[in-house]
Amino acid sequence: ITPLKNGAVRLTTGNDGTTTMAVNGSQLNGVLNCDASAGRLFGEFRIKVSAITNIVFFVGFTDSKALEMPFTQSGTTLTSNASDAVGFMFDTNSTTDDLFAVGVAANTDATHEDLGSAPVADTWIRLGVEVFADGTAKFYINGAKTGNTMTSAITVATDLAATVAVFSETTTSHTLDVDYVRLEQSR
């Protein structure tokens, strides 16, 4: 992780042909101190990726501080690597190179949704995820609600950390800049 001017940080992927977090990944993790059991959990992440080819990234909440890509997708098949996580996934191995709303509660995947838009290379985007005490989640792109409300998105009492994870799917290194992470939680 490299600090940038004005408080941003840069995550830089590896450039090995092995397409895993362990070899090509970079991750920014918060502390496992968030949950939605008191009513509401919200996170907004302002990010920018250097390219939207041969890349996987996740922005949201996860139950692990270990180096891990919470979700990947091949074609239309979603793989959840986290036990509890919710947020946005972008994976160019997907049939459609769009942002997806994804969630997993106690190792059971929620119905993921193609949000019908993709990030633009080298352009800032705000991604927000809001989780409620009933386990539902809403998703926001640049402040506008997008997609359907996701049911069974997360186990609400599980401790979560805000996270941004990225890895390259090729021998080309990519960057993902994080301008800010804004967190709100009911108490």
Side-chain angles (χ1 to χ4, degrees):
I1 297 176
T2 306
L4 302 175
K5 286 189 81 149
N6 302 317
V9 296
R10 173 165 290 164
L11 306 176
T12 302
T13 70
N15 59 0
D16 187 279
T18 306
T19 59
T20 66
M21 280 297 284
V23 177
N24 276 0
S26 186
Q27 188 167 8
L28 176 67
N29 261 342
V31 178
L32 291 166
N33 66 348
C34 301
D35 71 48
S37 63
R40 177 182 174 267
L41 172 63
F42 178 78
E44 182 177 74
F45 307 77
R46 186 170 187 248
I47 66 163
K48 173 174 69 170
V49 293
S50 60
I52 59 166
T53 55
N54 302 310
I55 193 169
V56 179
F57 70 79
F58 173 82
V59 172
F61 297 98
T62 188
D63 63 345
S64 174
K65 287 192 49 83
L67 183 65
E68 174 183 80
M69 180 59 66
F71 297 90
T72 58
Q73 184 161 283
S74 179
T76 59
T77 303
L78 181 72
T79 299
S80 54
N81 300 306
S83 299
D84 277 278
V86 62
F88 290 86
M89 177 205 61
F90 183 78
D91 188 337
T92 54
N93 274 331
S94 300
T95 300
T96 308
D97 291 345
D98 284 338
L99 289 163
F100 282 77
V102 292
V104 59
N107 292 310
T108 301
D109 292 343
T111 302
H112 67 293
E113 180 178 5
D114 183 339
L115 298 174
S117 66
V120 176
D122 206 31
T123 302
W124 291 106
I125 186 172
R126 289 182 296 131
L127 302 175
V129 59
E130 186 174 33
V131 186
F132 299 93
D134 64 358
T136 61
K138 294 181 181 179
F139 301 87
Y140 302 85
I141 298 176
N142 292 324
K145 185 181 179 302
T146 185
N148 297 308
T149 298
M150 180 180 287
T151 59
S152 302
I154 199 80
T155 306
V156 296
T158 297
D159 289 338
L160 303 172
T163 193
V164 178
V166 60
F167 72 81
S168 174
E169 294 184 311
T170 185
T171 56
T172 302
S173 181
H174 299 297
T175 62
L176 187 152
D177 294 350
V178 181
D179 182 37
Y180 68 78
V181 176
R182 186 182 100 203
L183 301 175
E184 300 172 9
Q185 180 173 345
S186 298
R187 293 181 172 79

